[in-house]
Amino acid sequence: MRIAAQFAALAVLAGSTTAQLVTSVPGCPAPTYFGICNPYVPGVFIKADEKGDISVLSTWHDGPAEKAGICPGDKIVAVNGTVATGSNWDRLVRELISDSSTPVVLHVQRERHEFEVRVPRIRETTLAARSGEKFVSAISSSTSMPPDYYLHVVPEGVSPDSLRALINFRSLLVQHAGFKQIDGMVPRKPQLAGDYVTGIAAMYDAEHQEAMVAEVSYPSPAFSAGVHPGDLIISVQNLSLAKLTREQLAEALAPSDSKPLSLVLLRSRKRFAVRLTPVTYGEALNGIGRKLTRFGAAPLHCPD
């Protein structure tokens, strides 16, 4: 489950502006911006820094912005002629999204070079489907927000039963004193191109010695193998969860080499086995035509 995917069109790193604009509404299968359900978007995440400058945080894989040559780290000078600054964030959002597929004109600066590019717009649900994913309501550990306030992206095959299992598991963890969502997650996110990944982030319940798949990264061996959020982890390398510590589980899910990982999972009361061969983060990205740059994952045509 990709939490940040709710900001398929745009994102801001500070403040509450985006939280007020991007919501889930009944009957809408995707984020709603300014009342527009499932709008047409260029597929670019943007951010505002402390100075108010706007830059590209990332682009959606195989989306219009990526195909138009936009790269993470690019400075956005203007959107449809509107000067891009943090002070007019709401207006920029309105320029980026649309209820039609008409292109958006981005004035971009990359290092010392400035250029304009017309970027087509497509539905957010279409962007997700291109990666074999779909939008679902959030599974939130927050007590101040309704559980469907935010949206996430999960593999297309994830069933309602799996999502209910995830909700129930997280609810139990939330009841534990002092629990925060990040505290219950293992392992750490990959940071370097050489880090080995399986693609699984799990919630670990130390009290009951249980773990459940919370997120499946795209691209990754787990995503390709059909592992879903909501799968209960029964055993790892033929060892039951009762015989593993949190640290051992984290090491297994973020290994130091490509040794195959055998898991037994439980989904909808049925057990099944999967065998994952870890790959490096760089290899996983390269498999979909991306690479790791100083700005994060980016298309191969982008500067390192």
Side-chain angles (χ1 to χ4, degrees), residues 18 25 35 103 171 191 201 209 229 281:
T18 300
V25 296
S171 295
Q191 302 294 322
Q209 293 183 298
Y281 186 35

Side-chain angles (χ1 to χ4, degrees), residues 161 265-272:
D161 284 346
L265 306 174
L266 180 69
R267 180 188 302 166
S268 298
R269 300 181 181 180
K270 295 181 180 179
R271 293 192 182 200
F272 62 99

Side-chain angles (χ1 to χ4, degrees), residues 190 192-199 219-222 255 257-259 276-285:
L192 304 174
D195 289 346
Y196 280 88
V197 298
T198 60
S220 70
D257 55 37
S258 60
K259 179 182 177 181
L276 307 177
T277 299
V279 298
T280 64
Y281 186 35
E283 290 171 336
L285 291 175

Side-chain angles (χ1 to χ4, degrees), residues 117-232:
V117 58
R118 288 172 61 86
V119 183
R121 289 184 273 210
I122 62 176
R123 297 280 193 188
E124 288 206 271
T125 48
T126 303
L127 281 171
R130 286 184 175 182
S131 299
E133 299 172 295
K134 65 181 179 181
F135 284 98
V136 297
S137 295
I139 312 300
S140 175
S141 63
S142 170
T143 56
S144 61
M145 295 290 184
D148 62 349
Y149 187 78
Y150 294 117
L151 293 172
H152 296 257
V153 170
V154 299
E156 281 184 327
V158 173
S159 69
D161 284 346
S162 292
L163 294 175
R164 280 192 291 270
L166 192 57
I167 292 172
N168 292 337
F169 194 93
R170 184 163 291 176
S171 295
L172 289 175
L173 290 178
V174 171
Q175 293 173 10
H176 296 173
F179 170 78
K180 296 180 181 179
Q181 181 173 324
I182 191 65
D183 294 337
M185 298 287 285
V186 294
R188 62 179 176 79
K189 297 289 185 180
Q191 302 294 322
L192 304 174
D195 289 346
Y196 280 88
V197 298
T198 60
I200 295 176
M203 292 184 294
Y204 181 75
D205 184 346
E207 181 175 331
H208 300 99
Q209 293 183 298
E210 291 182 334
M212 177 171 284
V213 177
E215 299 178 16
V216 178
S217 302
Y218 174 83
S220 70
F223 189 95
S224 298
V227 177
H228 291 171
D231 289 346
L232 188 68

